[in-house]
């Protein structure tokens, strides 16, 4: 396994299908001056957690730090901010 220059073992991009359970019942948190609001994201709508661009591809990239999913990342943000992160494709879970 090659180590990237940003090089930590648990940091990588995980590629999953849109049907991945992570995308079910998502909420985004909107902070305004005096309150914090949770907005439910409709199933089927996937947006980049960095730039809020809608992701329409069948495969979606998740940004992972230390083996924990941080959030969704679009291609452009990956290229801009995390070009050295290893890309791993999640194998389908056997049923
Ligand atoms: Zn983005």
């Amino acid at each position: 396994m090659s180590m990237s220059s940003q090089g930590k073992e648990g940091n990588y991009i995980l590629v999953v299908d849109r049907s991945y359970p992570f995308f079910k019942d998502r909420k985004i948190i909107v902070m305004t001056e005096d309150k914090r609001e949770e907005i439910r994201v409709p199933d089927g709508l996937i947006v980049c957690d960095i730039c809020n661009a809608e992701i329409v591809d069948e495969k979606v990239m998740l940004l992972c730090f230390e083996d924990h999913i941080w959030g969704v990342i679009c291609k452009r943000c990956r290229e801009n901010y995390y070009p050295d992160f290893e890309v791993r494709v999640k194998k389908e879970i056997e049923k």
Side-chain angles (χ1 to χ4, degrees), residues 48 50-51 74 77:
C48 173
I50 297 174
C51 72
C74 72
C77 288

Side-chain angles (χ1 to χ4, degrees), residues 25-85:
D25 299 321
R26 293 195 78 209
K27 292 189 180 80
I28 50 173
I29 295 174
V30 177
M31 307 282 279
T32 56
E33 274 180 23
D34 51 355
K35 65 177 179 188
R36 178 181 179 279
E37 217 174 326
E38 288 190 354
I39 298 175
R40 201 177 162 276
V41 178
D43 287 345
L45 177 67
I46 299 176
V47 297
C48 173
D49 284 318
I50 297 174
C51 72
N52 290 324
E54 186 176 358
I55 293 165
V56 295
D57 301 324
E58 203 48 49
K59 300 284 181 189
V60 182
M61 294 187 290
L62 297 172
L63 181 60
C64 301
F65 291 110
E66 297 177 350
D67 290 318
H68 293 287
I69 295 172
W70 176 83
V72 180
I73 185 168
C74 72
K75 282 180 189 151
R76 196 155 46 159
C77 288
R78 185 181 80 84
E79 284 163 16
N80 287 344
Y81 306 118
Y82 301 99
D84 296 333
F85 270 34

Side-chain angles (χ1 to χ4, degrees), residues 81-95:
Y81 306 118
Y82 301 99
D84 296 333
F85 270 34
E86 181 188 351
V87 176
R88 300 181 187 175
V89 177
K90 180 96 177 164
K91 297 218 174 71
E92 278 190 46
I93 300 156
E94 289 174 39
K95 295 186 174 106

